[in-house]
Amino acid sequence: MLVKGTGCYVTDQHGREYLDASSPNLTCGYAVPEVAHAVGEQASRMHGYDLSVASHDTAGALAERVAGLMPADLSRTLLTNSGTEAVEAALLIAGMYAGLRGDPRTRVVTFATGYHGSTVLARSLSGLAHLDHPFHQPMPVTRVTLPSPAREMRSPEALDMLLAAFRAALAGDGQEPPLAVVVEPLINVGGGVVLPPGFLSGLRRLCDEYGALLILDEVSTGYGRTGRMFAFEHEGVVADIVVTSKGLAGGYAPISAVSVRESIYTAFGRDPFVGGLRFGQTTSGHGIACAAALATLDLLVRDDLAGRAQRLGEVLMDALRELAGTRGVADVRGMGLFVSLEFEDETTAVAVVTAAQQRGLLLRRQGAVVMAVPPLTIDETTLDLLVERIRSAVREVAA
Ligand SMILES: Cc1ncc(COP(=O)(O)O)c(C=O)c1O
């Protein structure tokens, strides 16, 4: 039970302090005065307003700020409350847009091990066993299985195999033409999988060839985490829709964003029934969440936290690569400050997370993969401590 957070550290109810490297939410750490002040100021001025009734200046400012960070054509931003809702909105927008264009389609292509959220629609995208549900599939989904084990996915050979698999999925073997491809640039819940360089640009070409929209789920990778403001910047790819959340408000408030091309927005504006690009809940684009996001983005840009993630991520990777030969360690991989250690089995991974916790370090685990995702503001000394605690935990378990 946690009771307090400061910088990169959290404290539990017994007064024990932990270095927190467990969440891609943590853009600038805990109790940052600028963000806390922005939240307080917003609460005392205009805490929020139902955007289906009227907009407010903080939501407008955030929508424009997010658009300003995206490629020029992704000029319109819809604000939602969580990664799941943003994914769901993106799919609805894509499906309705296809109808508005007079080319109705519903089939979606995804990774079998992708994760896009917790509602029925979002779970229906994924092939991960624990996301199965008792309802009908809301739309046809063609899932691409990784052609090689995750640890072999960074090679040029993997790129060819992966693109061939997506081509076959898009072609669909007698199924309806594809509406969209939805992928994470780095597969998070499905095992911290780093995809081969060239994958996103190859996928962009395939989407164009098959007339499918490219929807990038940057919920866990957006806002500096992988060493660029967005992971798609590593390849200069322009998607049709980009979904972001976690890092946007640094975990200070629930918020997410759906960035769409101007042409998609315009198509909705022309339809007299739909009447604009609308999707949301009463609290979507909540004033306090928008204020937290604007303050977080100010810090991200002011302190070049994406550049920092790139630089410190390399230091972290270099240090952890030394563990590659250790008993039980199957792979060390990562992008920016999203670093994963894959173990030979889940039991070892659980033991490492427990040993790390005993050393005052919180890590994230998905199956046999343990992830270190510290705040982007982590300093060099704290990063050394992070490395030391991981090494010590891994070596204890190996011994
Ligand atoms: C890539 C990705 N998409 C979507 C989601 C869902 O986001 P949320 O939990 O905010 O609904 C997550 C959450 O982990 C995620 O990692």
Side-chain angles (χ1 to χ4, degrees):
M1 184 83 79
L2 301 175
V3 293
K4 192 176 163 219
T6 316
C8 293
Y9 290 89
V10 286
T11 307
D12 73 12
Q13 59 186 339
H14 307 296
R16 217 176 145 191
E17 200 176 62
Y18 301 88
L19 170 52
D20 189 2
S22 71
S23 171
N25 287 349
L26 297 170
T27 309
C28 45
Y30 293 89
V32 173
E34 290 90 334
V35 186
H37 173 77
V39 164
E41 198 275 333
Q42 187 71 35
S44 51
R45 182 172 66 81
M46 172 83 200
H47 68 267
Y49 204 85
D50 182 343
L51 295 189
S52 69
V53 180
S55 194
H56 56 82
D57 60 343
T58 318
L62 181 62
E64 279 177 21
R65 179 76 72 83
V66 171
L69 298 173
M70 291 279 163
D73 198 32
L74 286 152
S75 50
R76 300 290 178 165
T77 320
L78 177 80
L79 298 172
T80 40
N81 287 321
S82 66
T84 303
E85 286 171 20
V87 167
E88 183 137 357
L91 280 173
L92 277 169
I93 289 168
M96 291 166 85
Y97 174 62
L100 290 169
R101 274 193 316 186
D103 182 14
R105 301 179 181 199
T106 57
R107 188 169 64 90
V108 180
V109 175
T110 63
F111 272 117
T113 48
Y115 178 78
H116 302 285
S118 56
T119 54
V120 170
L121 195 90
R123 289 169 77 132
S124 299
L125 291 174
S126 180
L128 290 171
H130 69 280
L131 297 177
D132 202 12
H133 59 74
F135 302 105
H136 290 297
Q137 186 71 11
M139 68 267 158
V141 177
T142 309
R143 300 193 188 96
V144 172
T145 305
L146 291 181
S148 316
R151 68 194 80 153
E152 288 165 24
M153 279 309 300
R154 308 188 287 282
S155 67
E157 301 77 52
L159 174 64
D160 294 342
M161 288 192 288
L162 196 54
L163 289 178
F166 269 92
R167 175 180 287 286
L170 280 158
D173 196 18
Q175 299 177 76
E176 65 163 281
L179 165 68
V181 172
V182 183
V183 290
E184 301 160 76
L186 180 158
I187 300 177
N188 171 20
V189 175
V193 185
V194 177
L195 298 163
F199 169 62
L200 289 185
S201 38
L203 196 56
R204 174 73 272 180
R205 285 192 295 276
L206 285 174
C207 284
D208 291 342
E209 197 179 319
Y210 287 90
L213 295 172
L214 176 58
I215 302 178
L216 289 183
D217 180 346
E218 292 244 14
V219 166
S220 68
T221 51
Y223 304 106
R225 177 60 53 188
T226 70
R228 298 282 190 282
M229 185 57 83
F230 302 104
F232 62 71
E233 292 178 14
H234 289 281
E235 296 192 24
V237 166
V238 181
D240 300 294
I241 303 181
V242 178
V243 173
T244 56
S245 182
K246 294 183 193 286
L248 174 55
Y252 281 75
I255 190 155
S256 55
V258 186
S259 300
V260 305
R261 282 193 191 269
E262 185 69 28
S263 52
I264 297 178
Y265 175 83
T266 311
F268 277 80
R270 278 200 301 267
D271 184 274
F273 172 69
V274 179
L277 189 64
R278 282 163 190 264
F279 175 93
Q281 292 74 33
T282 310
T283 52
S284 295
H286 193 271
I288 290 175
C290 291
L294 283 166
T296 303
L297 294 179
D298 280 346
L299 295 176
L300 247 172
V301 172
R302 187 194 74 187
D303 298 340
D304 184 22
L305 295 182
R308 192 179 172 76
Q310 177 70 25
R311 191 166 50 79
L312 294 186
E314 279 163 21
V315 175
L316 182 58
M317 277 290 291
D318 285 348
L320 294 183
R321 266 198 208 99
E322 285 173 27
L323 291 170
T326 311
R327 196 160 76 95
V329 178
D331 192 25
V332 183
R333 53 179 178 257
M335 284 176 91
L337 281 172
F338 198 131
V339 174
S340 299
L341 292 171
E342 185 180 336
F343 293 89
E344 298 294 353
D345 51 55
E346 194 165 334
T347 314
T348 310
V350 170
V352 167
V353 170
T354 307
Q357 192 171 328
Q358 284 158 358
R359 287 159 173 76
L361 170 64
L362 299 183
L363 296 169
R364 181 180 184 78
R365 185 184 67 81
Q366 303 287 349
V369 179
V370 173
M371 299 160 187
V373 274
L376 306 183
T377 45
I378 190 168
D379 61 33
E380 281 80 352
T381 314
T382 314
L383 194 76
D384 285 348
L385 196 63
L386 171 67
V387 168
E388 191 188 304
R389 289 180 184 175
I390 294 178
R391 275 191 192 141
S392 156
V394 171
R395 287 184 179 141
E396 179 194 275
V397 171

